[in-house]
Amino acid sequence: MAAHDAWALVCRLFAGGTPLLRNLLSPREAAALSALGKAVKPTTVDQSFVLCPHCQQHRAQVWSDGRGGRMCRCPECGPVAVEASDGAALALDENWFRQKMRLALGIESRDGIDDLGDGVWRLGDARRSPVLLARDLTRVLQEPALLDRVRVAGGDIRVITPRPRTTRGSPFGAGVEWLAMEDRFAFYGGGISFLGKPGTEKNSPAADPTAAVYGPFSEDFRWVSPPDWTDGPIHCTEGQAAVFKSLWSFKGEPVSGERVMQRAGLDSDKPIDLFKVRTRDKGKPEAERPLAAYRSLVVTERREGLYSMPCAMGNSFINAKEQ
């Protein structure tokens, strides 16, 4: 779950736009920090006022205790000692974030990032579609002139924002596509992956069947490009593709091998069966590369007999109903 929690924390930091105190992190967010790498950086906040270290409910003024330490007076807890760690915080590296979002969407490097002010950026054009990134969907809805500033003839506009609590469906009319960060992107392999939506990327796979549509997978799951793999897309057999497609459909949740193989429509007992390299095929790239992809992307809990695909967490891929 680390990748899913890491991306949720990135979305939270971006939406807030300010550093977040470490002591306000949930246990799952704190555990996900190690997966974020360069995405976040340590910082400090103004410590003239702090959140009460004891109850974590009230902000209180800080003063010296006369012995080299510091205290705050909480309206509920009274005097509470303040440690240096109580002001420790972390912030999203927003330059890193915007550049990785551009890469995820395939935006050409020659397109610069334009700061439109008040938490809105134009990331560039993705296949002739201008892309806006905003901290708050309401900001874009209340100021339609932002869309007019980036609109181009013959191209729809993509608006990327964190998902608000109250919005359902598409908040825009024709010609504007809204992408909720939490649903359409994921933290993957030290970067950001765009999770394709069925029917929206049909042109690209037709031109290049190896193009990644669902995370590292092509549209038909016959090609896969694992993170840090530099030798080009890996070709899979139909059975291997069916296993990958099945695991992807479970959105990163650990499931039994039986359920994986049932959804894949295969008779083998374990997903790994389709990737084992026979003795006569050892040393052959076409046999060993799919196994390398499987080991890179699939997490196996052997004692429980469970399998999961962390990169599929939060994906928008819709699969057939499980029989």
Side-chain angles (χ1 to χ4, degrees):
M1 293 294 183
H4 181 267
D5 294 334
W7 180 243
L9 179 55
V10 167
C11 295
R12 180 184 178 187
L13 288 168
F14 175 73
T18 57
L20 181 65
L21 289 169
R22 281 180 173 268
N23 57 18
L24 292 181
L25 297 177
S26 68
R28 293 179 61 171
E29 289 174 332
L33 284 178
S34 60
L36 285 173
K38 297 180 179 179
V40 296
K41 50 190 179 182
T43 186
T44 57
V45 295
D46 179 14
Q47 297 188 36
S48 58
F49 284 82
V50 299
L51 196 66
C52 174
H54 182 68
C55 70
Q56 302 280 309
Q57 297 296 320
H58 303 281
R59 287 181 60 82
Q61 189 172 6
V62 178
W63 74 89
S64 172
D65 63 2
R67 299 186 299 272
R70 298 185 307 154
M71 302 284 293
C72 73
R73 181 175 293 277
C74 175
E76 288 191 13
C77 307
V80 179
V82 176
E83 305 293 339
S85 60
D86 293 326
L90 55 90
L92 177 66
D93 186 335
E94 300 217 357
N95 287 329
W96 176 95
F97 175 70
R98 289 189 287 268
Q99 291 296 337
K100 292 298 183 181
M101 289 292 284
R102 282 165 52 88
L103 288 174
L105 291 163
I107 296 175
E108 296 290 341
S109 59
R110 62 176 178 270
D111 294 328
I113 297 177
D114 298 323
D115 187 346
L116 303 183
D118 294 331
V120 181
W121 295 265
R122 178 184 178 275
L123 295 182
D125 294 346
R127 298 176 185 166
R128 298 192 63 187
S129 293
V131 179
L132 283 185
L133 174 68
R135 295 194 199 280
D136 188 351
L137 177 62
T138 303
R139 164 95 164 88
V140 183
L141 290 172
Q142 292 180 347
E143 192 173 341
L146 289 169
L147 301 177
D148 296 332
R149 291 174 62 180
V150 302
R151 197 182 304 276
V152 297
D156 291 344
I157 300 173
R158 286 179 170 180
V159 177
I160 304 169
T161 74
R163 183 181 60 243
R165 294 181 179 180
T166 57
T167 298
R168 296 181 180 179
S170 177
F172 298 100
V176 181
E177 180 185 11
W178 175 53
L179 304 177
M181 284 174 50
E182 295 86 347
D183 300 331
R184 302 299 301 277
F185 298 87
F187 192 77
Y188 175 67
I192 297 173
S193 176
F194 175 52
L195 305 175
K197 181 180 179 181
T200 62
E201 301 292 339
K202 294 295 185 180
N203 293 334
S204 176
D208 180 8
T210 71
V213 175
Y214 303 110
F217 298 103
S218 65
E219 187 178 32
D220 60 2
F221 286 79
R222 292 293 299 272
W223 297 90
V224 55
S225 301
D228 302 324
W229 181 266
T230 58
D231 293 334
I234 298 171
H235 188 251
C236 301
T237 65
E238 289 186 6
Q240 292 165 348
V243 170
F244 280 145
K245 187 175 183 180
S246 174
L247 283 163
W248 179 267
S249 73
F250 288 107
K251 302 183 179 182
E253 293 295 328
V255 295
S256 67
E258 181 181 359
R259 290 186 67 194
V260 174
M261 302 311 288
Q262 181 185 33
R263 183 167 289 188
L266 300 170
D267 295 330
S268 298
D269 296 329
K270 301 177 181 178
I272 188 64
D273 292 343
L274 277 293
F275 298 85
K276 291 179 178 178
V277 179
R278 298 178 182 178
T279 301
R280 67 172 182 268
D281 293 327
K282 290 186 180 295
K284 296 181 180 180
E286 61 271 21
E288 294 189 342
R289 287 180 176 181
L291 176 60
Y294 177 90
R295 288 173 172 168
S296 173
L297 299 170
V298 179
V299 173
T300 303
E301 300 175 40
R302 294 184 179 180
R303 179 174 297 181
E304 296 81 4
L306 301 178
Y307 301 81
S308 61
M309 183 177 283
C311 68
M313 291 179 179
N315 76 78
S316 59
F317 175 75
I318 305 300
N319 204 40
K321 292 183 179 179
E322 184 178 0
Q323 298 178 354

